[in-house]
Amino acid sequence: MAKAYNVMAATCPSRTVLHRIGARWTVFVVNALEDGPRRFTELKTHIRGITPKALTETLRSLEADGLISRQEYPENPPRVEYALTPLGDSLLVPLRAVRQWAEAHVPDIEAARARQPLD
């Protein structure tokens, strides 16, 4: 029988997984790798607004969590590519649903914000 996890419990390890998924740049990096491996510069160009430091930190965390792989090629100059692992690929389905929801509800969120009084 599989162990039951409860993200609402303060000490549940599923919280760290949810924090990884909800981290600021995770969704963007996973989505950017949807179509296949990319180099660091390609990712930085594709994900507008991300700093090199934030991208480096996000890639390291995603690799440590087993969501992406890092492949070094012995070339001159050196070439490194990042790709989704099968685990990272499985994250695309729920992220795609969240992305579609967000894009569909932009007008609703903007309207709600416009109704709020200014401080």
Side-chain angles (χ1 to χ4, degrees):
M1 186 169 149
K3 183 176 179 177
Y5 295 99
N6 179 359
V7 76
M8 300 307 278
T11 59
C12 184
S14 64
R15 278 196 175 195
T16 60
V17 175
L18 197 56
H19 282 288
R20 166 60 39 231
I21 296 166
R24 181 171 183 185
W25 295 107
T26 295
V27 171
F28 299 100
V29 171
V30 171
N31 277 301
L33 293 171
E34 179 177 14
D35 295 326
R38 289 184 186 247
R39 297 175 73 173
F40 185 91
T41 305
E42 291 175 295
L43 287 168
K44 193 167 75 58
T45 301
H46 189 68
I47 306 168
R48 295 183 195 114
I50 193 168
T51 65
K53 179 182 179 196
L55 180 55
T56 298
E57 291 172 355
T58 302
L59 290 169
R60 286 180 181 162
S61 296
L62 291 172
E63 184 182 13
D65 290 343
L67 296 170
I68 66 167
S69 62
R70 181 180 186 273
Q71 177 68 45
E72 292 183 45
Y73 295 92
E75 299 173 354
N76 193 11
R79 178 169 57 106
V80 176
E81 289 183 342
Y82 299 91
L84 292 175
T85 62
L87 182 61
D89 197 54
S90 73
L91 185 55
L92 285 170
V93 173
L95 289 184
R96 195 174 292 122
V98 171
R99 179 180 179 175
Q100 289 170 348
W101 183 92
E103 290 171 350
H105 292 284
V106 168
D108 302 318
I109 301 298
E110 288 178 339
R113 288 179 180 167
R115 290 190 298 271
Q116 295 299 312
L118 297 175
D119 291 335

